[in-house]
Amino acid sequence: MNCCGLLTAQKEPVPLKSIEVELEVRDHVATVVSTLTYENKEDKPVEAVFVFPLPGDAAVCHFSAKIGQTQIVAEVKEKQQAREEYDDALSSGQQAFLLEESEQSPDIFTLSVGSLPPGESASIRLEYVTELAVQADDGLRFCLPAVLNPRYQPQGSGGSEGASVQVTSVPASLVPYSLSFSARVSSPRPVSKVESNCSLDPLQHLNTEQTQATVKLAAGHKFDRDVELLIYYKDAHQPTAVVEAGQTTAKTGTLMGDPVVMLSLYPEFPQSVMSSVASCGEFVFLLDRSGSMDCPTDDSMQEATRICSARDTLLLLLKSLPMGCYFNIYSFGDTYEHIFPKSVEYCEKTLEEAVKKVEEMAADLGGTEILESLKHIYSQPCIPNQPRQLFVFTDGEVFNTKEVINLVKKNSGSHRCFSFGIGEGASSALINGLAKEGGGHAQFITGTDRMQPKVMQSLRFALQPAVEDISVTWDLPKGVSVTVLSPPITAVFQGQRSLLYAQLTGQSSEASEGSVMVKYSLAGHPSQSQLHFSLKPAEDTGLTVHRLGARTLIRSLEMEEKDDEAPQDEGVKERVVELSVQSGVSSSYTAFIVVNKGNGEPIEGPLVRRNIPTSMLGGMMYSLCDIMVFDDSSTCEDFQYCEPMWRNKVDDDSCLSDASEEYTRISSDEDMDGSSLACLGNVEAPTIKKPPRDPLLQLVSLQKASGYWLLDPALAAALGKTSEEVDKTKPPAVNQEMWATVLALIWLYSFKMDAKEEWELLAMKAVSWLRAQNAPCVAECVEAGKALLGCEVQKDFLGL
């Protein structure tokens, strides 16, 4: 029995032995140190290739190798030069290590461990810094990507050198290396709690103020998910400023030689503005329907798939849209589809048509080619006085990440983009990049997370008045000048953080304080937010702020260089390389290179290449199990696993044989999903039972576009009553629609308060409809409804 790209852990020992990760969080910035230990148990020298993910906005700033008692620190060099040095070292029998970032996606790295002699061990130390994103509940999110999903490469894109590295994936239970993970958290504010999608040992506070704490991953962690931490501080929304001293060995006037300031701003909007909801806008929803969207959302919830969750969420979004807006729904895979030729006005007719089409959507469009669908959306003319809001739902298995983000950036002046990464291993570079360049907000839905509350938060952001005319003004004493490293702020949302990095040059004998003023227009009213900061550098901060500032500038320059329509500046790449080498921060044009010259004696024997397996999503295991063929002679050692490539599919010439060696080919344009596997001889596609519909979603599905409900058996069933019970308790003076709508509101406020953020917008629409009826009998209606449903809720509480 053979399968494409087979690699068996049992038969070919893999040299990666263990991974140790130490996380240090200071307020909202994290430093991560990973130590990877290799051991060559083969009788030949080995070259090991390990492809792994990092957070998309991480700045890799240190890479070193320890061989025996010798510690060698890597240098950052121009990528082609580093590759040539690596190849030269191997050809001369020297040990070498090469770490490089993918040119297509900044969250994928390839580590090549070259010429490790038989029986020898080596430890690789990798360090990176990253910002922590603010979540809907004010938690700060850190994610250690343990899962690298195969990335789909669009047809006809040749890819760049280094992009064709094979990703060997095996089930979590067979990953032959271990992980230990510990975190230390410190902040000016108390650390209230730390939560995770994985089992943690109890949080340990280190001082009486509770501003420092440690936490560890519990023993026995399985490689079936990313490691996600949510860190909560008291009074999290306080603006802060950190001024970090420059590197003493660096030249004054350079980025690393001068102090760098990091400002964290939290603008507060007036409540009168925040309580209002826009009644206009063009809402475009873009849904991933590639085969991988058929994976379960969580290993413990095999019945719920990503596409099912996305469909339910789209339903909730559609019901929550305001009357008078415009909308359309696109979906993509190898190709793309749209429900309407162009965006249509939101009304009962168009809503019903859209809901019907959404309920029929399946993960049946093949690969993950998002670029063409975006191009079509942007080719549509914008509707006057209807600001375009784009919502993108994807599991992020995209190869051409930078090309996609650059397209969004070029169209950022005409829309805002809100992105949602679904499932473990979704590309953080893609999801964060879409939102950042599109002036929107990014959310990740992993494990047992419900998608709906996170998406509804983003809809509330989209319905907020757009912040316009944003300007940033610096006030610094004479003798001090500022060079802003961050791109201009394009979006400001209530409760969301805006980060600014800037290089401070010069000194002042007059004053020791500076300030920055952010001005903007909100709903036609000028507003401003000011933050004062000390020019005296903070102690013991290392170079974290400098490296994050350098990373921010490097990413901006890379995007500028990748812009096909912008005039090409020959000096951009050189500037990126110069910054990367100076700061020691990774870029797509540089690589970390270590060569151990040792005693100069060549290593004897042929060099064997090994690809290190990365963890495969537990949710994908049914696909791989279904393509195995068993006979009476099969043993556990015979089972081999398919190796998903950078393309998340099986090529035409990659075949699967059964016991009689009859081949059945899988279409090269389909993901390895259940529908593709149905054609494999005796193999049946997995049947995924539809879970019973959530009562809340059942109630939501019955609401009409203008906000009311009809009095019918479906509504009675959703409320847990019979039609007869609902009909006979209706007050005589109340019409059926008003009675049904009041009952629905009472049920929501009585039994679903824990999910209020999900239904609050559609409830507001229902209340507006009730007020428009000007009926005098609302109080009587509410009392009758409470009696019928057996609950207690105040009329004022309903907004009536």
Side-chain angles (χ1 to χ4, degrees):
M1 180 196 74
N2 290 308
C3 189
C4 57
L6 299 174
L7 200 117
T8 309
Q10 293 93 332
K11 292 187 176 180
E12 301 204 359
V14 175
L16 183 60
K17 188 178 179 182
S18 66
I19 302 177
E20 179 183 349
V21 179
E22 296 176 341
L23 168 68
E24 182 172 355
V25 177
R26 292 189 176 185
D27 210 7
H28 53 261
V29 171
T31 301
V32 186
V33 178
S34 299
T35 303
L36 300 89
T37 302
Y38 293 82
E39 182 179 1
N40 184 8
K41 294 183 178 180
E42 301 195 24
D43 56 3
K44 313 175 192 65
V46 72
E47 179 188 14
V49 179
F50 184 31
V51 181
F52 60 98
L54 289 179
D57 56 357
V60 177
C61 53
H62 176 90
F63 177 53
S64 61
K66 184 176 182 181
I67 303 133
Q69 297 302 311
T70 306
Q71 182 84 18
I72 313 167
V73 178
E75 297 179 75
V76 179
K77 296 188 177 182
E78 191 276 327
K79 184 172 282 187
Q80 189 56 40
Q81 179 187 350
R83 287 173 176 170
E84 290 172 1
E85 289 188 17
Y86 177 79
D87 291 339
D88 289 345
L90 295 194
S91 62
S92 62
Q94 296 172 331
Q95 295 167 331
F97 303 86
L98 180 70
L99 178 70
E100 51 185 322
E101 176 185 311
S102 165
E103 293 179 11
Q104 297 296 326
S105 184
D107 63 343
I108 297 177
F109 284 76
T110 302
L111 173 60
S112 299
V113 180
S115 205
L116 194 61
E120 187 156 347
S121 296
S123 290
I124 306 299
R125 189 175 188 270
L126 174 70
E127 181 177 334
Y128 65 88
V129 291
T130 185
E131 301 158 358
L132 303 185
V134 182
Q135 300 302 288
D137 59 358
D138 297 340
L140 294 174
R141 180 181 185 264
F142 168 78
C143 181
L144 176 70
V147 176
L148 174 57
N149 287 339
R151 300 292 169 84
Y152 182 89
Q153 181 174 341
Q155 292 183 348
S157 63
S160 57
E161 184 182 352
S164 59
V165 176
Q166 298 178 356
V167 183
T168 304
S169 296
V170 300
S173 60
L174 294 183
V175 172
Y177 45 87
S178 61
L179 169 71
S180 65
F181 177 86
S182 62
R184 181 186 178 99
V185 183
S186 60
S187 170
R189 298 173 293 281
V191 182
S192 55
K193 61 179 177 177
V194 176
E195 297 178 345
S196 178
N197 61 331
C198 305
S199 296
L200 298 175
D201 289 341
L203 182 70
Q204 301 287 329
H205 285 101
L206 302 179
N207 57 3
T208 53
E209 296 84 6
Q210 297 190 345
T211 56
Q212 297 181 23
T214 60
V215 70
K216 290 182 180 180
L217 198 64
H221 171 69
K222 295 181 179 179
F223 282 75
D224 58 351
R225 65 192 62 213
D226 298 341
V227 178
E228 181 184 68
L229 289 188
L230 294 173
I231 301 166
Y232 297 87
Y233 301 130
K234 292 182 180 176
D235 303 321
H237 283 196
Q238 294 297 315
T240 58
V242 175
V243 179
E244 185 178 78
Q247 198 171 17
T248 55
T249 56
K251 184 180 177 181
T252 302
T254 64
L255 172 59
M256 298 305 290
D258 285 343
V260 170
V261 59
M262 177 177 66
L263 303 175
S264 177
L265 303 171
Y266 288 94
E268 290 293 329
F269 297 166
Q271 184 59 36
S272 58
V273 175
M274 296 310 302
S275 59
S276 64
V277 175
S279 59
C280 62
E282 179 195 8
F283 297 88
V284 181
F285 305 108
L286 179 58
L287 175 63
D288 187 343
R289 285 174 57 191
S290 61
S292 53
M293 286 289 287
D294 222 14
C295 292
T297 54
D298 180 62
D299 221 16
S300 62
M301 300 165 57
Q302 293 295 328
E303 292 181 336
T305 61
R306 297 173 186 173
I307 192 70
C308 289
S309 183
R311 281 199 306 260
D312 289 345
T313 302
L314 265 180
L315 170 67
L316 192 60
L317 280 167
L318 289 172
K319 295 292 184 174
S320 302
L321 292 180
M323 292 292 288
C325 74
Y326 286 74
F327 77 104
N328 202 354
I329 300 174
Y330 284 71
S331 54
F332 67 93
D334 287 334
T335 58
Y336 64 88
E337 299 176 357
H338 43 72
I339 291 181
F340 304 107
K342 61 179 182 179
S343 293
V344 296
E345 187 172 357
Y346 182 80
C347 64
E348 191 58 46
K349 180 182 177 183
T350 55
L351 173 63
E352 285 185 3
E353 185 176 349
V355 168
K356 184 178 179 181
K357 293 286 183 63
V358 167
E359 289 176 344
E360 296 171 353
M361 287 182 175
D364 55 2
L365 291 186
T368 314
E369 296 194 27
I370 188 175
L371 192 64
E372 293 306 315
S373 59
L374 285 172
K375 287 180 179 178
H376 189 271
I377 290 169
Y378 294 139
S379 72
Q380 302 298 304
C382 291
I383 302 171
N385 302 315
Q386 301 286 347
R388 179 173 287 171
Q389 316 276 4
L390 175 62
F391 286 67
V392 180
F393 301 86
T394 177
D395 57 13
E397 299 182 4
V398 175
F399 177 75
N400 53 341
T401 301
K402 289 186 179 179
E403 193 177 0
V404 172
I405 293 173
N406 198 49
L407 179 64
V408 172
K409 180 181 180 181
K410 285 192 288 189
N411 291 275
S412 60
S414 62
H415 81 303
R416 287 193 288 185
C417 181
F418 298 86
S419 54
F420 307 90
I422 305 171
E424 309 291 342
S427 168
S428 60
L430 177 71
I431 305 306
N432 288 326
L434 289 174
K436 184 174 183 179
E437 298 301 338
H441 185 60
Q443 302 269 24
F444 290 86
I445 299 98
T446 60
T448 57
D449 287 349
R450 280 178 58 82
M451 189 185 300
Q452 289 84 352
K454 295 190 175 186
V455 173
M456 295 309 294
Q457 185 206 30
S458 292
L459 179 58
R460 279 190 287 272
F461 283 154
L463 291 170
Q464 286 178 13
V467 173
E468 300 172 331
D469 303 324
I470 303 173
S471 67
V472 178
T473 306
W474 296 79
D475 184 11
L476 298 169
K478 187 177 180 180
V480 179
S481 60
V482 64
T483 302
V484 179
L485 306 174
S486 304
I489 298 176
T490 57
V492 178
F493 297 111
Q494 170 71 13
Q496 290 298 299
R497 182 189 64 205
S498 296
L499 282 175
L500 283 176
Y501 296 93
Q503 176 183 345
L504 302 175
T505 304
Q507 292 182 333
S508 172
S509 56
E510 300 177 1
S512 59
E513 188 178 84
S515 69
V516 64
M517 177 85 74
V518 180
K519 295 182 178 180
Y520 48 88
S521 175
L522 179 66
H525 301 288
S527 300
Q528 63 184 37
S529 179
Q530 187 173 23
L531 176 62
H532 295 268
F533 57 90
S534 170
L535 294 175
K536 183 180 179 182
E539 297 180 1
D540 190 31
T541 56
L543 292 169
T544 302
V545 173
H546 279 73
R547 286 163 175 161
L548 287 171
R551 187 283 319 271
T552 300
L553 184 54
I554 285 170
R555 292 285 184 256
S556 298
L557 290 170
E558 286 176 337
M559 293 297 293
E560 179 183 330
E561 204 273 339
K562 291 286 184 184
D563 190 343
D564 296 331
E565 296 181 7
Q568 294 300 300
D569 183 353
E570 293 295 330
V572 171
K573 180 177 178 180
E574 288 74 12
R575 173 75 171 133
V576 170
V577 172
E578 179 187 359
L579 267 172
S580 179
V581 172
Q582 180 194 133
S583 62
V585 168
S586 60
S587 76
S588 60
Y589 300 123
T590 54
F592 286 87
I593 175 74
V594 174
V595 176
N596 180 27
K597 298 179 180 179
N599 55 15
E601 296 179 3
I603 298 171
E604 297 180 358
L607 193 63
V608 178
R609 185 183 179 93
R610 292 282 181 263
N611 290 346
I612 313 300
T614 60
S615 175
M616 178 186 66
L617 266 174
M620 290 177 64
M621 285 185 62
Y622 71 81
S623 299
L624 300 181
C625 292
D626 283 341
I627 63 175
M628 292 180 187
V629 181
F630 302 88
D631 60 29
D632 293 338
S633 61
S634 297
T635 67
C636 290
E637 285 70 26
D638 292 325
F639 299 159
Q640 296 183 319
Y641 293 87
C642 183
E643 174 185 308
M645 313 292 279
W646 284 91
R647 305 180 66 164
N648 187 20
K649 57 186 180 179
V650 181
D651 293 326
D652 276 344
D653 57 354
S654 300
C655 307
L656 201 73
S657 65
D658 61 12
S660 60
E661 296 189 354
E662 294 179 2
Y663 291 86
T664 307
R665 300 187 183 275
I666 302 175
S667 166
S668 65
D669 290 328
E670 292 181 275
D671 280 4
M672 285 190 356
D673 63 315
S675 58
S676 306
L677 299 171
C679 63
L680 293 178
N682 298 326
V683 180
E684 294 183 2
T687 28
I688 300 178
K689 290 174 22 179
K690 283 189 176 181
R693 191 158 206 179
D694 181 273
L696 172 59
L697 290 173
Q698 180 64 26
L699 185 75
V700 167
S701 69
L702 299 172
Q703 189 185 32
K704 298 300 180 180
S706 56
Y708 69 90
W709 275 266
L710 290 175
L711 193 66
D712 60 17
L715 176 68
L719 298 174
K721 300 294 178 181
T722 65
S723 295
E724 184 182 2
E725 288 174 313
V726 172
D727 288 338
K728 73 178 183 182
T729 53
K730 181 180 76 69
V734 177
N735 67 42
Q736 291 189 340
E737 287 80 10
M738 177 175 288
W739 174 233
T741 304
V742 168
L743 285 177
L745 284 171
I746 292 173
W747 187 86
L748 288 171
Y749 274 97
S750 299
F751 303 110
K752 290 295 176 181
M753 280 299 290
D754 58 335
K756 185 181 178 183
E757 54 200 347
E758 299 181 34
W759 51 260
E760 189 172 23
L761 288 175
L762 60 88
M764 289 170 60
K765 192 159 61 167
V767 169
S768 296
W769 180 85
L770 283 170
R771 285 176 177 162
Q773 308 310 304
N774 290 320
C777 49
V778 173
E780 180 188 359
C781 199
V782 170
E783 291 303 317
K786 290 192 300 184
L788 171 64
L789 297 177
C791 56
E792 190 62 43
V793 60
Q794 297 299 318
K795 183 182 73 169
D796 293 344
F797 195 56
L798 296 173
L800 300 174

